[in-house]
Amino acid sequence: FTSNIAMSSYCYLGGCSSKGGAIYTNEMHCLKVIDTQFIANKAINTTLIENPKNLGGGIYTEAQKLKIIHCCFVSNVAEQGGTIYYHPEDDKIKIVVILGCVIVNNAISRGTDIHFKAKYKKLSQNVRFYILTSLFKNSGDSMLGISSSGLFFIKTASLTLEKKDPLYMSTK
């Protein structure tokens, strides 16, 4: 993967797709999003396929590196990953950075608001999440989740949820 995408100062309002209500990327090296708003985007069934997975209300990506800096995610909706659905494909080391973001009132029907899905068990051990100086409030049932073992670094993040524990880790 050699492609990189960097975007800054956008506003995605009311987007709709079955994967990534606002942004969908696959097989790329780095996705960097700065100073961007994601408001009321939805990952819903937009095809005639029965029972599709509706993933990533704001962002669905398979990028090796994901950097989300000073972004705002409000009222996005998905089955899993109301804010972000991260699904990398290979087993190389991955880095996810969420810095200075506001994530408020996103909705999920199951799973977690920021969802990491590892294709291979080895991959889940090679992913590093850095969540720094960000605000999470009333977003779904569970805020953060990973599908296997992995490592989260959370610093100066305000986690305020009303339904369940703010940090959710499943070993399924």
Side-chain angles (χ1 to χ4, degrees):
F1 309 118
T2 58
S3 61
N4 295 305
I5 294 178
M7 55 185 64
S8 180
S9 303
Y10 285 92
C11 179
Y12 293 97
L13 176 64
C16 183
S17 178
S18 61
K19 288 185 179 177
I23 295 175
Y24 171 86
T25 68
N26 64 357
E27 297 185 7
M28 63 182 313
H29 179 70
C30 182
L31 173 62
K32 185 175 184 180
V33 183
I34 304 169
D35 295 322
T36 297
Q37 297 179 13
F38 297 84
I39 302 169
N41 298 287
K42 297 178 183 178
I44 62 171
N45 187 359
T46 58
T47 68
L48 297 176
I49 299 171
E50 193 172 321
N51 299 319
K53 293 187 177 182
N54 305 313
L55 311 171
I59 297 172
Y60 176 99
T61 187
E62 299 170 3
Q64 289 182 5
K65 293 181 182 176
L66 176 62
K67 298 176 182 178
I68 309 294
I69 301 168
H70 300 130
C71 292
C72 183
F73 294 85
V74 178
S75 300
N76 297 288
V77 177
E79 182 179 338
Q80 294 180 355
T83 300
I84 298 167
Y85 191 93
Y86 183 58
H87 185 76
E89 291 292 322
D90 61 34
D91 63 356
K92 295 179 183 174
I93 291 183
K94 310 287 185 237
I95 297 174
V96 176
V97 176
I98 298 173
L99 171 65
C101 293
V102 175
I103 299 173
V104 179
N105 294 331
N106 296 286
I108 51 173
S109 57
R110 66 183 184 91
T112 57
D113 196 40
I114 297 174
H115 192 87
F116 164 58
K117 173 73 173 170
K119 189 168 185 175
Y120 308 104
K121 184 168 182 130
K122 181 180 176 186
L123 170 62
S124 66
Q125 298 166 355
N126 288 336
V127 175
R128 304 296 183 257
F129 281 85
Y130 297 89
I131 301 175
L132 307 164
T133 320
S134 295
L135 169 69
F136 297 81
K137 187 172 181 182
N138 299 329
S139 294
D141 289 339
S142 297
M143 180 55 57
L144 307 172
I146 71 174
S147 60
S148 189
S149 61
L151 184 57
F152 280 99
F153 298 91
I154 301 175
K155 183 177 180 182
T156 326
S158 172
L159 299 170
T160 306
L161 298 178
E162 295 177 354
K163 294 183 181 179
K164 290 186 180 178
D165 295 332
L167 182 60
Y168 169 77
M169 297 178 101
S170 172
T171 56
K172 292 181 183 179

